[in-house]
Structure formats: structure tokens, C-alpha cells
Amino acid sequence: MIESMTLGRFFPRGSLTVFLGGFLMLGLAVSAWALENVEFQSEFRTDLVKPVDMVLTASGDMYVLDAGAAQVLVFDSRGNRKLAFGVNGAADGQFTAPRAMAVSPEGRIIVADSGNNRVQVFNPAGEFLFSFGASGTAVGQFQFPGDVVVDRFGLMSVADRDNKRVQVFSPNGIYLNHFMTEGCPVDLGMDREGGIYALIPEPGKIVKYSPSGEKLKEFTCRLNNKDFLPRAERLSVDAWGGIYITETAEQSVKKIEQSHQDVALSFGSEGAGRGQFDRIGGMALSARGELFVADTNNGRIQIFQVTGDEELPPEAESFSPLVLDFDFTVAAEDSISDIAVLPGRGVFAISDKKGRILARGKTENAFGSEGSAPGQFLKPAALQVSLDGRIFAADTGNNRIQVLNSDGTPAFEFGKGGSRPGQFSGPQGIAVNSKGLIYVADTMNGRVQVFNHEGIYLNSFATTKENPLQGITGSPSPRALAMDSQDRVYVLEDGGVVRVFDERGKFLKSIGEWGTGDGQFQKAVDLAVDENDNVYVADQANSRIHIFDANGRFVLAFGSPGKGGGYFQEITAVAAAERRIYVADYSSDHIQVFRYDSEGPAAKMERIYSTRTAAPPGLSAGNDVVRYGFAKRAATREAIQEFTDSLGFSSEYVMPFVRIESVESLNDGKVKVTVSIPRNIPVEIKAPVFNRPQTPGGK
């Protein structure tokens, strides 16, 4: 995505050749309309070996990715080198056959390190921050990442070429979603609204997708009965919506107008002269209509004027996606089986290996040990902390529940091995409701047992074959429990489904199912419910956290196999509170913490519309008022349509959720309409990041 900018000419000392004069008449023998607006400006060679991509920024800087030197170079508007970093290799900050780059809104430099099957991210000073991705076919992995683009919110879309998909990552490299393409996407472009353009040489298409991966439009590139897309290598989209490609058959640059899908511009040939190329790399466009083209094997960047000084179109309204990103890590220093979060008191964790509880993830705050005495634990599986600071632990190996005071000293315990009321067989989950009632997932007995605040047995509800509840069949074994703000009980079954009951054990609904897609689990090991009743399910087999809203509708999933922020080796537990998600990784002995705004930022638009039936000020009765009322309704409909189009939504889905905040009659016969979408957007709306139709892992 090219930012708005005013870019000066590049005049590097001793290396610039300037050609002034007429228009460049190169390339195919086509009609004049396809050639008339190309003017060679200059070429830039300073310190370049094999430039393959570039980015122009609003500050006037030019970032160049040089595959020959395995470097990123930054030049100011006068061509002076400001920064250079990178060497050939596979370590952090090193590159192997890098192909593309992008610059985020906050100035981070993002490089598609294609030969290493990863994406690397650097700060504006060129210092390595992090990388994400590895060789493979699982989500979050790559088989030759050919390009990366970044939107105004910092979301990174990566062309995972040989996996035939585009993957989307958070600003800190957390896998969020992906969508499959019809062939191998070799390059990407992005327009000002966040629309993603994928260049797919086989079958010879450019496809525009919404930020959520919905296919919106296809483009072809035919000129003089030739199809140039099968040999196309690079793609760029300018601020006016023009699509530029480079192709190898004739070493040319071509521009496609979206409105009529005709080739509006074609120039270039093979060679080393002006307007000639030897393996064209990436392109970038300035706000002045200057086209920068990486002439890779000639070791230069050529600059052309391809449009006049048209006024840049206004920034389009767009929707801000959910806020979810990596925040920090708690070094647990233990293999964690469960975690609990108490606002104001921090994170508590329990280790099934060492039989102890850690406050704030630190061994110096630990209490307990392995054993069977009071305050000791044997393979504890679950942990809960009440509002009064009491600690509840499912002491699984000892078939009991232990209750500890806030300082870790034993208060009391209840339960023993068996199948009678009040007895347990491998209890793995525990939850406490607002009344102090204690719910225990009695896993091997296939039931949930309920106790009062002193551990006195009250009742149980089961989901066994012998005693099926409403709509429930089979022999599930409850693995984990959580409680929402209405004291509804969420039960995670070993079979990969969450069942919801009221506090008396009446079945209400199910959430999720077995599988590998969004909202599906292969090995669900834990769940949590936050203060807004959002539901979080930890899926160990898929290395993902699935999020559902308070109505049980899937919202998003994040995470992928690997090491680092947003990557998981062996998820064992999840907790959520105060807009944070806590995920325990058993193998890496740490807890990852993520920022999450379950409501998301609101989208809003204000527009003024002309009306043909405007009433003069002061009219209060008669047909004119009726007509004016109709005009206002027409303006409202127009505003809603424009709003939904700008967000990439289907109006069919979004219409019931759009709010008409105000409709104001202006003295000049116009109507001002303000519309918005609420922060808590239903999943059906197909908003960015909310809807991911593809299942993870597949090509």
C-alpha cells in the first residue's frame, strides 16, 4: 500500500543520468492511448546490486530491498543513504533470497525473507525485532512467502505462494486467518480501503479480495490478443485504483484501469537503456504519479512520470478490526497445567509436574509440593481463585478438591476416590459462581458435581448414556469448567465441544465442534469466560485459541505451531480477564499474554447528500414535507449503501445493524447523514478478521 506523499527527485552524487524531453515511445505497437502518458524522469543506481523491491514513505524516504547484497537500504528524497542493514544468512536480521518488503504505519520495516520461509520485522533504525513463520504447510508456516503488504492498522498479509494462500498476521506476527487462492499468489497489492489484490499467473488472473478473504473481482490483462498475466511477476496498486503489473515476456510494465479493465498503459522492452529492463522487480508509486521500477539485473531503479498532478482522492472510510495482539510473556519457570487470573492480584498457575502453585508465575511466590498431605498435590489439573482470594485446586491424582487461603495455607479439602455423590474419579475442572457454589468436573465419572462454599455436596448433573440431558447423547467426560456473569456453567467435553448449562444443570446450548476449521477443535484442553461473557477454547492439536462471543458465535482464532509470541508448542490452559488473554504453553514453561478488545473499535461515517426534493427552511406541512421526508429517507439509504460498500460488507447482512445517528436538513437543500456500526459486531457481517471461510492447514 502506497502512502500519500510528496516526493522530491533523487539526485545521488555521481550516479544519476537525467533525460528530459518527450514521451517515451517503447514497447508494443499499440494505440496511442496506451502510450501517451509515460515520461522517463531519471535512474537511480547508488549502492545497488540487485534491487528487487522498494517502498516510498510519506516522509519522502525510499526503502530499497537489495537481494544481491542481502540488504535493506534507506535513502532520503535527495538520494543520500540514511541506513543500510542485513547480510546473507539465516540468523536473525540476515536474509536469503529476500523478495519483497513493506513499511508499517509506525515505521516498522517488514521483509519477506523468502529463502528462509519467514517474515522479519525491524524497527525504523533497522534493528531486528522479531520474525514469524517457518517452512511448512500448517497455518503460520510458509512455502516461499513471495510478498507482504500492510494495512493502516498494521495487519500484515503474506502471499504464501506454494501453499496457494494468503495469510494474515497481527502487527506483532500472530497468525489470525488465511484464505485460499486459485493458484500460487506470486505478488500482492493493497488499495486505500484495505482490499487485497493477488497476482496469480496460473490460471492468469488478478483477484481482488476483501480483508476477510471474500473474492470481490477478477482482472485480466490482454493486449493485441496476448494475455500477459501468465508471465507476470509483480503487482502494485496506486492511490487512484490503477493496477500495475510487470511481465517477463516483453519486459514491460502495464497498467489496468479497474473501471473498464482495459490496458491503459504499456511500455518497456528488454535491454539496458532508458525504459528498458533486465528482470523487473517491484514497483512503487508516489502521490505525484511517479512510478519507481526496480530494474533488478541492471542494478538500478528507473523513475517515470505516468500521470499528471491529479489531486489525491480522499481517504476512504474503513473498518478497524478487532484489537488482538501479543502483549508480554510471564516466565512461569514450571510446566503449567492450569492458570487463573484475579483482577488486582495477578496470575496464578499450577504445575502438575511439581505439584505446586505459583503466584504471578514466579517460583519465589510458589507454595505447595508433590504429595498427599494437606497443601500437597498429585498431578493437579485445575485452578480457580475466588473474589475473596481463596484458591481452589483440583488435586486430580488424589481425587480431591483442596481449598487454600490467600496466603497458600490449607483451609479445607473435600472428596475422595469413588463414584458415589461427593466422590471423584480424576477431577480435572473447577469453577466457583457468584454465590460461592463450587462446581467440579468429575471427569472419569462423566458428571459435574456441585458443592456449597464449605465443600458440602449438594447435587450433580451428568451427560452419560444412562442419564442423557436435553439433546445430549453419548458418553462425554467433562474436562474443564468456566462460569459466566449469569452463573451459567460452561463444560468442555473431551469430545471437543463446549456445553452450556444453567446453575441447576439444565442444558442450554452447545458451542463448537470437532474439526480443524474456525470454531472447531481437535484436542480442546481448556476454556475460559471473561467478564463480558466471551468464551475462549484452547485447542492443543491445532495450536490455536478460539474465541466466541456471549451468544456462542465464533469471532476469531489465533495462534500457530512454533516458538515465539503467538506461537505455541503445547497449549495446556487459557484464562481471560480485563482485556487480556493468558495462554500457558506446557513445553516452553511460560505464559503468553495477549491484548484483546472484544468489542473492537466502532466504525462511523458522516456524509452530505444533495436532494432533488428539498423543502425550504420552515416548511412544516403539506406535500412538500412528505416529499422532503422521502428525500431524507433516500439520502439515508444512500448513506447506508456507501458505508457498507466502503467497509467491504454485504449490505444484505449489515443493514439490520447500521445505526442512523442523525439526519440533518441543511439550508442549501442538502441532507447530512451520520451512520455507524456498533462496536460489538455480529459475525455474520463478514467484517475484516471476523470471517475466515477457509479451514486451517490445507492448500
Side-chain angles (χ1 to χ4, degrees):
M1 182 177 181
I2 306 302
E3 302 284 342
S4 302
M5 60 175 291
T6 301
L7 188 71
R9 298 291 188 267
F10 285 80
F11 295 109
R13 191 175 299 165
S15 63
L16 179 68
T17 305
V18 180
F19 297 86
L20 303 175
F23 294 105
L24 185 66
M25 303 296 289
L26 300 170
L28 300 171
V30 297
S31 58
W33 59 263
L35 297 166
E36 61 186 2
N37 288 325
V38 183
E39 183 179 359
F40 180 79
Q41 297 288 327
S42 60
E43 69 174 36
F44 179 81
R45 293 181 177 270
T46 299
D47 300 327
L48 302 183
V49 182
K50 290 185 178 295
V52 294
D53 202 14
M54 76 204 73
V55 175
L56 307 177
T57 70
S59 63
D61 291 340
M62 179 173 68
Y63 293 70
V64 181
L65 179 62
D66 192 330
Q71 278 189 326
V72 173
L73 301 99
V74 184
F75 303 90
D76 65 18
S77 61
R78 296 181 176 272
N80 301 309
R81 193 174 81 175
K82 298 172 58 177
L83 178 69
F85 61 90
V87 295
N88 190 68
D92 292 344
Q94 300 179 343
F95 308 113
T96 300
R99 190 176 186 272
M101 67 180 304
V103 177
S104 74
E106 66 270 23
R108 287 181 171 182
I109 304 164
I110 306 158
V111 179
D113 187 11
S114 307
N116 290 317
N117 284 306
R118 66 184 177 183
V119 174
Q120 296 196 72
V121 182
F122 304 83
N123 69 12
E127 298 167 335
F128 174 82
L129 295 176
F130 61 90
S131 67
F132 58 93
S135 180
T137 61
V139 296
Q141 298 178 338
F142 303 116
Q143 291 195 89
F144 197 85
D147 196 13
V148 57
V149 292
V150 59
D151 69 10
R152 70 185 67 187
F153 310 111
L155 295 179
M156 297 174 284
S157 298
V158 182
D160 188 9
R161 190 189 70 180
D162 293 346
N163 284 322
K164 299 181 180 179
R165 64 189 178 188
V166 175
Q167 299 197 71
V168 183
F169 298 82
S170 79
N172 284 326
I174 298 174
Y175 167 81
L176 296 176
N177 66 283
H178 75 273
F179 54 90
M180 307 305 295
T181 56
E182 298 176 45
C184 298
V186 300
D187 211 47
L188 299 178
M190 181 171 285
D191 61 24
R192 289 160 60 84
E193 291 78 37
I196 301 169
Y197 298 72
L199 173 60
I200 309 172
E202 181 61 45
K205 301 178 176 179
I206 296 170
V207 182
K208 179 181 179 180
Y209 298 91
S210 73
S212 62
E214 179 184 3
K215 184 177 178 180
L216 300 177
K217 197 171 183 179
E218 288 187 1
F219 303 90
T220 59
C221 183
R222 297 186 65 85
L223 186 63
N224 293 343
N225 296 318
K226 293 183 179 180
D227 185 1
F228 289 92
L229 287 183
R231 298 290 299 274
E233 290 194 355
R234 295 294 184 133
L235 168 73
S236 189
V237 181
D238 67 17
W240 297 268
I243 302 171
Y244 291 79
I245 67 159
T246 68
E247 57 80 34
T248 59
E250 297 174 350
Q251 293 290 332
S252 70
V253 175
K254 291 178 169 52
K255 178 184 179 182
I256 307 167
E257 292 290 353
Q258 289 202 39
S259 57
H260 46 73
Q261 294 206 43
D262 289 331
V263 177
L265 184 69
S266 178
F267 70 95
S269 61
E270 187 175 357
R274 61 177 182 174
Q276 295 183 322
F277 307 100
D278 185 0
R279 191 63 182 268
I280 309 178
M283 297 171 287
L285 293 113
S286 76
R288 297 175 52 169
E290 295 163 312
L291 176 65
F292 290 65
V293 184
D295 187 6
T296 302
N297 290 340
N298 285 323
R300 64 183 178 176
I301 293 170
Q302 297 194 66
I303 306 169
F304 305 88
Q305 186 72 44
V306 294
T307 67
D309 292 329
E310 299 100 326
E311 182 180 353
L312 196 67
E315 194 79 6
E317 299 283 344
S318 68
F319 181 79
S320 299
L322 287 176
V323 178
L324 188 146
D325 213 343
F326 179 74
D327 201 359
F328 60 93
T329 296
V330 176
E333 304 174 7
D334 252 341
S335 297
I336 301 303
S337 53
D338 197 22
I339 50 179
V341 180
L342 184 64
R345 294 181 60 88
V347 183
F348 292 76
I350 194 165
S351 170
D352 68 346
K353 280 188 176 181
K354 298 183 179 181
R356 61 183 180 178
I357 296 173
L358 298 85
R360 292 174 290 281
K362 298 293 185 179
T363 54
E364 58 262 31
N365 301 322
F367 48 86
S369 60
E370 190 173 10
S372 300
Q376 295 183 325
F377 308 95
L378 186 62
K379 297 189 180 301
L383 181 70
Q384 179 70 43
V385 183
S386 65
L387 293 176
D388 61 5
R390 291 197 303 171
I391 303 167
F392 301 79
D395 190 4
T396 308
N398 289 315
N399 286 309
R400 66 183 177 182
I401 302 299
Q402 291 202 68
V403 183
L404 310 176
N405 299 314
S406 58
D407 60 359
T409 57
F412 63 92
E413 63 182 68
F414 58 93
K416 64 178 183 177
S419 59
R420 301 185 64 165
Q423 298 177 344
F424 304 113
S425 179
Q428 295 190 30
I430 190 167
V432 182
N433 75 3
S434 63
K435 302 178 180 66
L437 297 181
I438 306 166
Y439 291 73
V440 180
D442 188 9
T443 305
M444 303 306 294
N445 285 323
R447 65 188 177 185
V448 174
Q449 297 196 70
V450 187
F451 303 80
N452 73 3
H453 68 283
E454 294 182 333
I456 298 172
Y457 172 82
L458 299 178
N459 69 295
S460 67
F461 53 96
T463 58
T464 62
K465 287 181 178 179
E466 291 75 22
N467 186 22
L469 293 177
Q470 305 172 29
I472 311 276
T473 58
S475 302
S477 23
R479 183 182 180 101
L481 300 180
M483 200 74 62
D484 70 9
S485 62
Q486 301 178 49
D487 283 340
R488 291 176 296 199
V489 187
Y490 292 71
V491 183
L492 175 64
E493 301 285 1
D494 245 355
V497 66
V498 177
R499 300 199 191 326
V500 186
F501 305 84
D502 69 11
E503 60 182 325
R504 295 177 177 270
K506 179 183 177 182
F507 173 71
L508 301 175
K509 62 181 179 182
S510 295
I511 299 173
E513 60 184 5
W514 190 90
T516 61
D518 291 331
Q520 298 178 328
F521 329 121
Q522 280 195 312
K523 188 180 180 181
V525 295
D526 197 23
L527 86 162
V529 179
D530 67 14
E531 58 270 25
N532 296 316
D533 293 343
N534 298 295
V535 183
Y536 307 81
V537 180
D539 183 6
Q540 189 180 90
N542 290 320
S543 297
R544 305 185 75 191
I545 303 296
H546 299 256
I547 305 176
F548 302 83
D549 67 13
N551 296 313
R553 294 175 298 205
F554 174 77
V555 176
L556 67 86
F558 68 94
S560 55
K563 298 180 180 180
Y567 291 81
F568 307 112
Q569 299 178 62
E570 188 179 358
I571 299 174
T572 51
V574 61
E578 298 183 310
R579 300 185 177 182
R580 295 290 189 275
I581 305 171
Y582 302 79
V583 184
D585 195 327
Y586 196 80
S587 299
S588 58
D589 293 350
H590 66 251
I591 300 168
Q592 295 188 50
V593 186
F594 303 86
R595 292 179 291 109
Y596 176 57
D597 185 348
S598 63
E599 294 183 334
K604 187 175 183 179
M605 185 187 77
E606 184 178 273
R607 290 285 189 271
I608 297 176
Y609 298 91
S610 298
T611 64
R612 296 180 180 179
T613 55
L619 271 183
S620 59
N623 292 330
D624 286 333
V625 175
V626 175
R627 288 196 297 271
Y628 192 52
F630 176 80
K632 290 200 292 186
R633 289 195 297 274
T636 300
R637 287 196 299 270
E638 188 175 352
I640 292 173
Q641 188 63 57
E642 184 179 355
F643 189 39
T644 58
D645 288 347
S646 72
L647 298 176
F649 296 157
S650 168
S651 58
E652 174 187 355
Y653 291 97
V654 79
M655 280 285 282
F657 308 101
V658 174
R659 293 175 179 170
I660 309 300
E661 295 199 350
S662 65
V663 182
E664 182 182 352
S665 306
L666 305 179
N667 290 334
D668 57 1
K670 296 180 178 179
V671 175
K672 183 170 73 173
V673 182
T674 303
V675 294
S676 69
I677 290 178
R679 295 171 68 87
N680 191 15
I681 298 179
V683 67
E684 291 87 352
I685 295 182
K686 302 189 184 299
V689 184
F690 280 75
N691 181 48
R692 281 159 305 282
Q694 303 295 335
T695 58
K699 292 186 179 183

